[in-house]
Structure formats: C-alpha cells, structure tokens
Amino acid sequence: MNDDQLRWITAMHEAGHAAMRWLLKLPPTDIYVLAGDGYCDGTQARISGDQSLLIALAGEAVETDYGNRSVDFSKTPCEDFDDAREVLNKHFWLRLDPRKLQANGEAPNPELLDVEEALSAWFDHCCEQLQPYSSLRSEEHTSELQSPCNLVCR
C-alpha cells in the first residue's frame, strides 16, 4: 500500500467517526472514552454509552464497507474496538442485543450478550446507521477499502 492509499483510507476512517457524530447531532470535535464513559472534547460534556459505541465503531464500519466485509474482532487490533469493549464492560445494559430493542428502548426478552457478541451486534447496528450515507463516498477509491490488509485504526 502506498502513502496516498494509506492517507485515503485513514481519511475515510476518520470521516466515518465524523459522520456518526453528525448523525447523533454532536459537535464535530473529538470524542474520547475514559473509564468506560464517553466525553466530547470540545464541550467536555459526557455523552451516552450508546453514542460512544456508535462513534467508536464508525471508522471501522466505513473501512469494512459498512459491514459488507467481515471483521474478526478478536484478531483485529484496534483502539476503537478497545474503547468499545471498555464501554460495554462498564455499562452492562449496552450488552442487550441492540437489534432486539424496540423503538421505546425496551427489550421484550432481554438477553445479555458477552462483550464480544455485543461488540459485533453494535458494529452491525453502526453499519446499518451509516449505510444510507455510503453513496457520499467517492466510488473511485472504494476498491482500496476492499482488501482486509488495508484496515487502518487510529
């Protein structure tokens, strides 16, 4: 992979984080996880655990073409995944399968997932949230994101 390809992939990864912040109506500043809680760097305000998860996972969601390429969470070293695991470990209620939550936030038959299963479920949910905006990405560089060796994590 040459330097231009690496810069493009990194830019798309970061754009995924920015797009999720926009979808969640959060300011365009860094979001960080500290002791399992999310914080907005610009406002120093705490953000919810589910927002932290979605933002953390959004960069990798873009890199996997919104979940169209599989990712092995246990074999992909990534700070974003580590942040998501930290949030899931602290906030057990986020380990309820997000795909089974109703619009009112209730789960009719709640099942507590282990952290890796919850990470996968939230990743899928993140991909579903971003996918409608995938056409905004330049098709010219899509093939560069198709190779598993091109996964970049910041």
Side-chain angles (χ1 to χ4, degrees), residues 1 9 60 63-64 69-71 76 147-153:
M1 177 181 342
I9 292 167
E60 294 297 324
E63 286 194 51
T64 62
R69 280 188 307 116
S70 63
V71 60
T76 305
S147 170
C149 66
N150 288 344
L151 283 179
V152 174
C153 188

Side-chain angles (χ1 to χ4, degrees), residues 59-113:
E60 294 297 324
V62 171
E63 286 194 51
T64 62
D65 195 24
Y66 309 95
N68 289 321
R69 280 188 307 116
S70 63
V71 60
D72 184 342
F73 297 104
S74 65
K75 294 183 180 177
T76 305
C78 178
E79 185 178 325
D80 292 338
F81 291 157
D82 292 341
D83 285 347
R85 285 182 185 100
E86 188 177 338
V87 171
L88 289 166
N89 275 314
K90 178 166 185 181
H91 303 286
F92 76 92
W93 61 271
L94 288 170
R95 291 177 28 208
L96 295 172
D97 191 338
R99 297 166 292 202
K100 294 182 180 176
L101 293 178
Q102 298 173 345
N104 62 4
E106 293 181 13
N109 296 314
E111 173 188 347
L112 196 62
L113 304 174

Side-chain angles (χ1 to χ4, degrees), residues 57-71 73 120 123-128 130-131 134 137 146:
L57 296 173
E60 294 297 324
V62 171
E63 286 194 51
T64 62
D65 195 24
Y66 309 95
N68 289 321
R69 280 188 307 116
S70 63
V71 60
F73 297 104
S120 178
F123 185 77
D124 290 348
H125 183 62
C126 178
C127 290
E128 290 168 7
L130 288 172
Q131 209 289 321
S134 64
R137 185 177 74 202
Q146 300 299 319

